[in-house]
């Protein structure tokens, strides 16, 4: 069994140990899997490193699962839980993030939100809307990368609009093409016809009401009242 370098080391063999690798080793050796820590703990361990919490977040691009209080309700707001170890980022060649993990530009984000009608692709909620389950949590929309498994087993990533709840790390959002094709086989003729039209247009055609709802939810609160007043006026 290979002995891990210490998180306090700055070199591993003939290679330099970067901060991201040292944070990974600190999690393994000090926090341990399923253990909890705070940003204050992390900063105390690396007092001379600026933006050390960003180096921790970068580990998620390599399969490391580090939960916040959003994903794990048992945690306090300032706490994190080290769930699962990912790639050995201290080994030369394994610290480079996958190509699909590059930053999403503002232009890309705006286009995806617009193409998806400012609605979560998974549950259909709009930004600022509550979830209808009796809670007061309001949806926050993000643009995320969704893995799609092709029939040959290869994986591609698609940009989609996703609310914060649907995007939480404890939910597997991988799409398997084999399952999609099986669902198509079981569809009625009318359903296939509608789906064929969406595919031909390369987008789902939401109703005019759905489009308007998505746009309405993007308006500031004070402007929404004008929309409500307009609707009240048209009922006379």
């Amino acid at each position: 069994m290979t002995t891990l370098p210490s998180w306090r080391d700055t070199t591993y063999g003939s290679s330099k140990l970067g901060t991201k690798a040292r944070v990974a080793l600190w999690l393994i050796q000090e926090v341990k899997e399923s253990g909890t820590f705070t940003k204050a703990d992390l900063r105390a361990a690396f007092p001379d490193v600026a933006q050390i919490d960003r180096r921790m977040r970068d580990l998620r691009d390599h399969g490391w699962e580090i939960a916040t209080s959003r994903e794990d309700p048992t945690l306090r707001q300032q706490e994190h839980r080290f769930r699962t170890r990912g790639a050995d980022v201290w080994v030369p060649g394994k610290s480079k993030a996958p190509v699909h993990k590059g930053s999403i530009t503002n232009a890309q984000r705006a286009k995806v939100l617009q193409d998806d009608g400012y609605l979560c692709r998974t549950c259909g909620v709009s930004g600022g809307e509550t979830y209808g389950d009796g809670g007061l949590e309001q949806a926050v929309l993000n643009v995320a990368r969704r893995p799609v498994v092709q029939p040959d087993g290869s994986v591609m990533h698609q940009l989609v609009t996703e609310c914060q709840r649907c995007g939480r790390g404890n939910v597997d959002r991988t799409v398997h093409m084999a399952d999609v094709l099986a669902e198509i086989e079981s569809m009625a003729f009318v359903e296939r016809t509608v789906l064929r039209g969406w595919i031909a247009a390369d987008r789902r055609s939401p109703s005019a009401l759905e489009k308007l709802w998505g746009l309405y939810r993007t308006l500031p609160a004070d402007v929404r009242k004008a929309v409500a007043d307009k609707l009240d006026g048209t009922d006379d």
Side-chain angles (χ1 to χ4, degrees):
M1 185 175 181
T2 304
T3 302
L4 296 178
S6 168
W7 66 271
R8 293 184 172 86
D9 294 339
T10 56
T11 59
Y12 180 47
S14 59
S15 302
K16 180 180 179 181
L17 269 183
T19 304
K20 180 169 62 179
R22 293 179 61 212
V23 170
L25 292 165
W26 177 78
L27 288 171
I28 293 171
Q29 296 166 359
E30 300 294 334
V31 179
K32 300 179 174 44
E33 288 194 27
S34 299
T36 61
F37 66 98
T38 65
K39 287 183 180 179
D41 295 331
L42 184 62
R43 290 166 183 161
F46 299 88
D48 300 323
V49 180
Q51 296 184 320
I52 188 63
D53 49 330
R54 181 176 178 181
R55 301 285 80 79
M56 175 198 67
R57 291 195 301 270
D58 288 344
L59 288 171
R60 292 174 175 142
D61 292 345
H62 302 276
W64 291 65
E65 292 187 25
I66 303 167
T68 67
S69 58
R70 291 193 302 271
E71 293 92 33
D72 187 340
T74 66
L75 296 174
R76 292 174 296 176
Q77 186 173 1
Q78 69 273 24
E79 286 183 319
H80 297 266
R81 187 181 302 283
F82 171 33
R83 282 180 172 169
T84 308
R85 168 178 166 176
D88 296 346
V89 293
W90 52 88
V91 175
K94 292 194 175 183
S95 63
K96 186 176 180 181
V99 173
H100 71 269
K101 290 294 187 178
S103 298
I104 300 171
T105 66
N106 289 334
Q108 286 177 308
R109 182 174 286 102
K111 185 178 187 306
V112 172
L113 288 167
Q114 184 176 30
D115 288 348
D116 288 341
Y118 303 96
L119 301 171
C120 173
R121 185 85 71 88
T122 300
C123 70
V125 73
S126 62
E129 186 178 5
T130 57
Y131 286 94
D133 55 4
L136 299 178
E137 179 184 4
Q138 293 183 323
V140 176
L141 297 182
N142 302 308
V143 173
R145 291 181 174 85
R146 179 169 295 174
V148 180
V149 180
Q150 303 296 304
D152 63 0
S154 62
V155 180
M156 62 173 290
H157 290 80
Q158 181 188 35
L159 295 179
V160 298
T161 301
E162 198 168 59
C163 73
Q164 194 172 60
R165 176 183 284 189
C166 290
R168 286 173 179 165
N170 56 347
V171 178
D172 183 10
R173 298 176 304 285
T174 302
V175 177
H176 293 267
M177 277 297 298
D179 295 340
V180 174
L181 296 176
E183 286 291 331
I184 291 176
E185 286 292 331
S186 66
M187 292 173 70
F189 175 77
V190 172
E191 293 173 321
R192 287 194 185 201
T193 302
V194 173
L195 180 60
R196 190 177 293 113
W198 291 348
I199 292 173
D202 195 28
R203 62 180 298 159
R204 180 177 76 94
S205 302
S207 68
L209 189 58
E210 287 178 308
K211 290 179 181 177
L212 192 55
W213 174 248
L215 290 172
Y216 167 77
R217 295 300 304 183
T218 68
L219 299 174
D222 55 341
V223 179
R224 292 181 197 169
K225 186 178 184 305
V227 177
D229 291 342
K230 176 68 174 177
L231 283 172
D232 291 339
T234 58
D235 289 338
D236 296 337

